Amino acid sequence: MFVINCPYCGVREQSEFKAGGEAHIVRPKQPTELSDDQWAEYLFMRKNIKGVQFERWIHTHGCRKWFNMVRDTSNDEIKAVYKMGEKPPIE
Amino acid sequence: MKNKYSFFTLLKNAFSYHENWEKAWKDPEPKKEYEVVIIGGGGHGLATAYYLAKKHNLKNIAVVEKGWIGGGNTGRNTTIIRSNYLWDASAGLYDHALKIWENLSQELNYNVMFSQRGVMNLAHNLQDVRDLKRRTHANRLNGIDAVYLNTEEVKKFCPIINTSPDIRYPVLGGTLQRRAGTARHDAVAWGYARGADQMGVDIIQNCEVKGIKRNGNDVEGIETTKGFIKTKKIGVVAAGHSSVIANMAGLRLPLESKPLQALVSEPVKPIIDTVVMSNAVHAYVSQSDKGELVIGAGTDDYISYSQKGSHEIVEGTLSAILELYPIFSRMRMLRQWGGIVDICPDASPIISKTTIKGLYFNCGWGTGGFKATPGSGDLFAHTIANDEPHKLNAAFNINRFVSGDLVDEHGAAAVAH
């Protein structure tokens, strides 16, 4: 349970948001040319990091916009929030 | 079995005020090398070690656990056991476990308090009714006991349920598996630990795995807080932390780890003698032998290892509980906690070899692993000992995410396990 600083709306309760999983997974340019292994890697395999993770969130019950977040999954501390397409503010 | 528990040992120890019971398992320091090392001393890991020693005659086995045995999800679940899954593969897997449960206390000489009090799944809308009827038929075809109940029969089986048609999600019917029920979760870990220990398995607690040493495509051992342990076979049964171990070996798994919450109420006199689950409103409840209501809530949708969860999840579950059981409106909740569950995209587990030789994973049990503990241990032991899956867990390989041959229980079992 935490609050999230939506880059469009400001600080709101986490219950207004939905998590969208790991961020910066690039969609393959030519999906039809992928092998089954590559497709599985893109579609299913995840780092599922314990520690600092880059992830996608959507403000479902607010502006309904997607954005990115850097969060420590071991204690739910949010390190940074940034818009889609922007570079992560921390490495 | 030496030091067998019986009425006579109970009587004998009563005379010495129960102060001279022998330790149920030793607390050894790790040896330099083992034939097999199991990472994770929960129910599944201890059961794996037990069956490796018992059925596959391996002598040199260790279980390493970063905390204390049974201190993770084994001690955090709502203890529900059932096998009424839709797909053949799942039905085979979970009913295999249920059959072992039915004789487990005798086998382990340890009372796991297995109670076949029945599990009822409620239907709240037309689609639920269709799905549950379909599942009842599928269960029967697989030799699993299942009956479909109409609203009156649901009320008769569990009179405290509000079956009024006026509630937001009225009860339209339900299924009942009479062989299903509950067991004492701690006793399962302790019973398997005692059994494994007596066959020579080293149970090493407070020993956290820090790295997996590989030589090319083979495993050579594990780095732990108690030093390096050499081994050619590693069975990982680390539940929510499976991906953490996998990352150490340079492997990626199709898992996401999320908090799942449960809560218990203050203890009251017996009021509900079965387990009632409702997928649609996401609430399930049973009563422990101490008298506490044991209530299962849902998972949060974000990845977290914090063993906490959102307040709104608990709130949602309790509001559903109150609508279904108005009698509980003044109950006070005693404790609430979270466990970290590793969920596969198809919500079915992985009991499998990997692309790395000697590295095996038993993970992805998500929100419903407790019920499978004995079967999971038995089949994982078979997989490790023979380097080949048993026919009952062949479908639960990692490669199904490449081949597309998923065991899609998500739609079928919905949220509740």
Side-chain angles (χ1 to χ4, degrees):
Chain A
M1 192 161 64
F2 37 84
V3 292
I4 294 172
N5 189 5
C6 170
Y8 304 97
C9 310
V11 177
R12 300 290 179 89
E13 276 213 22
Q14 171 244 316
S15 60
E16 293 187 10
F17 298 82
K18 278 266 186 201
E22 199 177 315
H24 305 299
I25 298 174
V26 182
R27 188 180 163 82
K29 287 213 168 64
Q30 296 286 349
T32 48
E33 286 168 21
L34 291 188
S35 68
D36 287 351
D37 276 312
Q38 289 168 320
W39 187 240
E41 190 70 20
Y42 164 71
L43 208 56
F44 295 125
M45 301 302 165
R46 294 291 177 264
K47 291 182 198 143
N48 195 22
I49 288 169
K50 182 182 188 178
V52 176
Q53 170 165 278
F54 296 82
E55 51 193 19
R56 301 178 303 171
W57 284 73
I58 182 171
H59 194 179
T60 316
H61 302 291
C63 60
R64 299 177 65 192
K65 287 198 175 93
W66 285 94
F67 59 94
N68 289 320
M69 187 192 288
V70 190
R71 189 172 57 96
D72 189 335
T73 60
S74 65
N75 57 14
D76 294 337
E77 189 192 327
I78 298 170
K79 307 278 187 190
V81 170
Y82 55 103
K83 291 178 183 171
M84 281 287 165
E86 286 180 359
K87 272 201 155 169
I90 30 183
E91 286 297 308
Chain B
M1 185 182 280
K2 59 178 186 188
N3 308 323
K4 194 170 190 292
Y5 293 156
S6 66
F7 174 71
F8 298 103
T9 54
L10 186 64
L11 195 67
K12 192 179 121 201
N13 281 282
F15 284 114
S16 56
Y17 302 98
H18 297 292
E19 286 171 357
N20 295 321
W21 284 98
E22 280 196 34
K23 278 194 175 171
W25 55 87
K26 296 179 285 293
D27 193 17
E29 285 302 306
K31 287 189 258 179
K32 284 204 167 55
E33 185 174 356
Y34 289 96
E35 215 171 330
V36 182
V37 173
I38 304 297
I39 301 176
H44 290 240
L46 293 164
T48 305
Y50 175 84
Y51 291 112
L52 275 171
K54 189 181 180 192
K55 292 175 85 170
H56 305 281
N57 291 319
L58 296 184
K59 300 280 178 245
N60 197 16
I61 307 166
V63 177
V64 294
E65 164 58 46
K66 74 172 172 181
W68 62 94
I69 59 164
N73 291 353
T74 303
R76 288 167 183 267
N77 63 77
T78 49
T79 78
I80 296 166
I81 295 161
R82 60 183 181 90
S83 65
N84 54 354
Y85 280 70
L86 177 69
W87 300 114
D88 295 351
S90 314
L93 178 68
Y94 291 103
D95 210 50
H96 177 62
L98 184 49
K99 281 175 189 147
I100 303 177
W101 276 115
E102 287 176 327
N103 196 37
L104 192 61
S105 292
Q106 285 73 23
E107 185 186 339
L108 293 177
N109 179 232
Y110 202 102
N111 187 4
V112 298
M113 296 164 73
F114 180 52
S115 157
Q116 291 179 298
R117 59 184 66 183
V119 168
M120 195 156 67
N121 289 82
L122 300 180
H124 296 280
N125 54 53
L126 205 53
Q127 191 58 44
D128 275 359
V129 172
R130 290 180 186 131
D131 286 346
L132 289 182
K133 281 186 175 168
R134 180 189 176 203
R135 203 168 84 187
T136 307
H137 294 313
N139 288 159
R140 286 184 172 176
L141 287 171
N142 278 317
I144 293 168
D145 70 306
V147 281
Y148 187 82
L149 308 177
N150 62 29
T151 309
E152 289 72 39
E153 289 163 331
V154 167
K155 182 80 179 170
K156 202 171 166 216
F157 191 72
C158 183
I160 60 169
I161 294 180
N162 181 6
T163 50
S164 156
D166 299 333
I167 64 176
R168 177 67 183 83
Y169 299 103
V171 177
L172 301 183
T175 62
L176 174 63
Q177 185 182 20
R178 290 183 193 275
R179 283 165 66 229
T182 59
R184 169 102 161 91
H185 47 6
D186 297 320
V188 177
W190 298 337
Y192 273 120
R194 175 169 167 267
D197 181 87
Q198 293 204 344
M199 288 184 289
V201 173
D202 278 357
I203 297 165
I204 303 158
Q205 302 181 71
N206 298 309
C207 180
E208 187 176 351
V209 174
K210 292 290 185 188
I212 290 178
K213 198 175 171 210
R214 281 172 62 179
N215 179 12
N217 205 37
D218 297 314
V219 294
E220 283 198 322
I222 53 170
E223 295 287 355
T224 74
T225 48
K226 291 192 173 183
F228 181 72
I229 301 171
K230 201 176 160 191
T231 184
K232 287 201 170 68
K233 284 188 174 182
I234 301 171
V236 184
V237 203
H241 282 69
S242 298
S243 298
V244 177
I245 305 284
N247 290 339
M248 289 176 190
L251 199 72
R252 288 219 289 170
L253 296 173
L255 296 175
E256 287 192 320
S257 295
K258 297 174 177 179
L260 173 68
Q261 294 180 84
L263 53 164
V264 295
S265 72
E266 58 190 338
V268 289
K269 287 188 174 175
I271 183 70
I272 179 164
D273 62 357
T274 184
V275 182
V276 185
M277 313 180 75
S278 168
N279 293 2
V281 300
H282 207 162
Y284 53 99
V285 63
S286 62
Q287 191 170 17
S288 75
D289 290 359
K290 278 188 285 185
E292 302 153 325
L293 296 180
V294 183
I295 295 169
T299 52
D300 278 293
D301 66 346
Y302 54 86
I303 292 168
S304 178
Y305 289 84
S306 67
Q307 294 191 327
K308 290 178 282 191
S310 303
H311 184 68
E312 92 232 25
I313 298 280
V314 170
E315 206 175 12
T317 292
L318 287 179
S319 61
I321 291 276
L322 287 193
E323 186 165 78
L324 274 177
Y325 311 91
I327 192 175
F328 295 153
S329 66
R330 291 186 190 179
M331 290 284 284
R332 283 168 298 188
M333 292 299 135
L334 200 63
R335 287 180 290 129
Q336 167 273 345
W337 65 92
I340 303 305
V341 297
D342 45 327
I343 303 173
C344 272
D346 60 356
S348 286
I350 294 169
I351 312 172
S352 178
K353 304 204 282 186
T354 64
T355 47
I356 299 165
K357 195 166 176 288
L359 186 64
Y360 305 85
F361 269 88
N362 183 351
C363 60
W365 289 95
T367 58
F370 176 73
K371 66 173 81 68
T373 305
S376 154
D378 182 32
L379 300 172
F380 195 41
H382 180 100
T383 307
I384 294 173
N386 299 304
D387 198 37
E388 279 301 324
H390 188 278
K391 67 177 191 319
L392 286 174
N393 68 309
F396 298 96
N397 59 62
I398 291 184
N399 202 49
R400 72 177 188 265
F401 296 97
V402 177
S403 67
D405 199 6
L406 303 177
V407 187
D408 191 5
E409 284 290 340
H410 234 167
V415 286
H417 282 271

